[in-house]
Amino acid sequence: MSPMFRRVLLSACCALVVGQALADEPRRPECIAPASPGGGFDLTCKLAQSALVQEKLLSSPMRVTYMPGGIGAVAYNAVVAQRPADAGTITAFSSGSLLNLAQGKFGRFDENAVKWLAAVGTSYGTIAVRADSPYKNLGDLIAALKANPGSVVIGAGGTVGSQDWVQTALIAQAGGVDPKQMRYVSMEGGGELATALLGGHIQVASTDISDSVPHVQSGDMRILAVLSDKRLEGPIVSDIPTAKEQGYDVTWPVIRGYYLGPKVSDEAYAWWKNAFDTLLASEDFAKLRAERQLYPFAMTGDELDAYVKKQVADYKKLASEFGLTK
């Protein structure tokens, strides 16, 4: 075999390998945010959108589409029932999604209905008010609830039993207030919640730190407490007291990640898993995550699947304690 022929053959083989690698990349990549624009699901999708292109793991931009309804229920059912084999579509989920699954709020589909792909960060629950609110800390809020629970309008994403509702219920319970006496307004996602709070339609918002910080930066919102074990590090957040340091032993981490449809091929699933494994090992991704007020939490594949199943089991017990199960 002549040297020139060997070079031609080698070039052809390389082209074939490259072609196969490109063929594995999802066509028309998409991330479904199961809520209206704004809020945590939107943030989760846009993090993937930015990072996958920045790390050159996708050659074409990922589009973000919005599918509000039931804090994830509509999207979950659509993916499982209508788009189960769509290899190009990942869908955002959070701890709130798992809590709703634990209560059967996603209809006939349970936590075994999808392929859990990657968890890329964690946020923490917060109790927020407008900057001009008379409530300066959790003690002020609990005092008002004890005096007249119906006088405080609390907004949260989802119906009674949702993640945001549970956060306020745990705080109320810790303060000696019956959570069932709270005056609660259900909303669809963090964007709508912030709009209602800043517009004066509600007095308190049960949300999370990643949704809240931009409004704190603008001077429109104040956070009474973050539901983390200890104060968070960084500008603005380090000044926010935890519920625990105010005497209310309540924490609520909010895991954020993605799942795929149940019939997505093993090869396509492996491509996405490898992509997120690469992201989670990247310092540039860590910076993007930090910019969105998300904190390190990294799981993919089987490890995440086991974590999700355990969390759902734990949430079922919590829901039972609050009388939320059927």
Side-chain angles (χ1 to χ4, degrees):
M1 183 183 295
S2 70
M4 179 173 289
F5 184 74
R6 281 198 300 270
R7 286 196 296 271
V8 171
L9 182 61
L10 180 61
S11 297
C13 289
C14 289
L16 178 61
V17 170
V18 170
Q20 288 173 336
L22 289 176
D24 289 339
E25 180 182 331
R27 293 182 296 171
R28 298 186 297 278
E30 171 190 23
C31 183
I32 295 176
S36 302
F41 288 135
D42 192 8
L43 177 149
T44 306
C45 276
K46 286 179 177 174
L47 174 60
Q49 181 186 52
S50 299
L52 288 165
V53 171
Q54 177 177 287
E55 293 290 327
K56 298 182 171 57
L57 295 167
L58 285 176
S59 57
S60 59
M62 168 181 280
R63 72 185 187 279
V64 175
T65 57
Y66 301 94
M67 198 176 290
I71 310 299
V74 170
Y76 200 84
N77 279 264
V79 169
V80 176
Q82 301 168 22
R83 304 169 63 174
D86 191 341
T89 299
I90 61 175
T91 304
F93 80 91
S94 73
S95 298
S97 310
L98 306 185
L99 179 62
N100 283 348
L101 276 170
Q103 297 173 62
K105 290 186 175 182
F106 282 11
R108 68 184 189 275
F109 301 119
D110 63 12
E111 67 274 16
N112 300 300
V114 300
K115 290 187 174 183
W116 301 100
L117 174 61
V120 296
T122 183
S123 184
Y124 293 92
T126 57
I127 307 299
V129 295
R130 277 179 27 155
D132 59 359
S133 170
Y135 308 131
K136 306 301 182 185
N137 51 51
L138 283 184
D140 291 344
L141 175 59
I142 291 297
L145 288 171
K146 283 184 173 180
N148 184 358
S151 68
V152 182
V153 183
I154 301 173
T159 57
V160 169
S162 69
Q163 170 174 263
D164 291 348
W165 182 89
V166 169
Q167 289 178 176
T168 51
L170 289 169
I171 292 289
Q173 188 179 65
V177 176
D178 182 358
K180 294 180 180 178
Q181 298 300 313
M182 294 190 301
R183 186 178 173 189
Y184 176 80
V185 178
S186 174
M187 297 186 179
E188 184 66 45
E192 183 178 336
L193 188 59
T195 299
L197 179 65
L198 299 180
H201 305 294
I202 58 176
Q203 293 164 280
V204 179
S206 179
T207 179
D208 74 41
I209 194 72
S210 57
D211 290 352
S212 308
V213 164
H215 302 291
V216 175
Q217 287 176 313
S218 68
D220 296 323
M221 191 180 288
R222 181 170 66 252
I223 298 175
L224 300 184
V226 59
L227 307 185
S228 53
D229 282 319
K230 57 185 180 180
R231 288 207 184 194
L232 303 177
E233 297 180 359
I236 298 178
V237 295
S238 61
D239 294 329
I240 301 170
T242 66
K244 292 180 74 170
E245 69 185 81
Q246 296 179 70
Y248 305 89
D249 191 9
V250 177
T251 59
W252 193 270
V254 183
I255 306 306
R256 297 203 173 276
Y258 316 89
Y259 62 82
L260 284 160
K263 295 184 180 179
V264 169
S265 70
D266 291 344
E267 294 78 13
Y269 181 89
W271 187 94
W272 282 110
K273 180 184 181 302
N274 290 337
F276 278 102
D277 283 338
T278 299
L279 285 185
L280 290 166
S282 163
E283 291 184 5
D284 288 337
F285 176 76
K287 292 176 183 177
L288 286 176
R289 180 174 58 197
E291 288 170 2
R292 290 158 176 79
Q293 301 301 322
L294 290 176
Y295 299 86
F297 186 92
M299 279 188 188
T300 62
D302 291 341
E303 184 184 16
L304 175 62
D305 184 77
Y307 173 86
V308 165
K309 304 300 171 54
K310 183 180 184 303
Q311 283 296 103
V312 171
D314 290 344
Y315 287 150
K316 285 179 180 178
K317 295 177 184 177
L318 179 63
S320 179
E321 291 173 9
F322 277 117
L324 300 172
T325 52
K326 298 178 181 178

